[in-house]
Amino acid sequence: MTTLEEAKQHLRVDTDDDDTLIASLLDAAEETVLNHLNLEALPDAEPVRVAILMLLGALYENRESVVDRPLSENPLFARLLAPYREMAA
């Protein structure tokens, strides 16, 4: 759904040094969104793409297990995805 180039542009990364890491984080972000939506495939919708990029940014910025500030959930993530989410039976 989101290309590596688009992901790097979103992250403002100009080099190829982190391409493997970014591709892995992008896969994780897409799978997380897919799991959150309870769907088999990602909807081709701009809010879904934006939510993936938001999550990618958070994963890239906080890739260490120890951070010096508390992490908090972004309610915008859930709000962007809410119209596409299938509720589990």
Side-chain angles (χ1 to χ4, degrees), residues 6-28:
E6 185 178 23
K8 287 172 64 174
Q9 183 179 15
H10 176 74
L11 298 172
R12 294 187 172 101
V13 172
D14 296 328
T15 68
D16 297 334
D17 297 345
D18 283 347
D19 281 6
T20 301
L21 172 64
I22 293 169
S24 177
L25 295 176
L26 181 57
D27 288 345

Side-chain angles (χ1 to χ4, degrees), residues 34-41 43 81-89:
L34 192 60
N35 289 337
H36 179 80
L37 294 176
N38 295 320
L39 296 174
E40 300 274 330
L81 296 175
Y84 308 97
R85 188 168 191 208
E86 291 289 327
M87 300 311 285

Side-chain angles (χ1 to χ4, degrees), residues 13 18 21-22 25 57-67:
V13 172
D18 283 347
L21 172 64
I22 293 169
L25 295 176
L59 290 170
Y60 187 75
E61 184 174 329
N62 300 296
R63 56 193 151 186
E64 299 297 325
S65 61
V66 178
V67 293

Side-chain angles (χ1 to χ4, degrees), residues 1-3 25-35 42 52 55:
M1 171 168 235
T2 305
T3 66
L25 295 176
L26 181 57
D27 288 345
E30 288 181 347
E31 186 159 339
T32 299
V33 168
L34 192 60
N35 289 337
L42 289 169
I52 289 168
L55 184 54

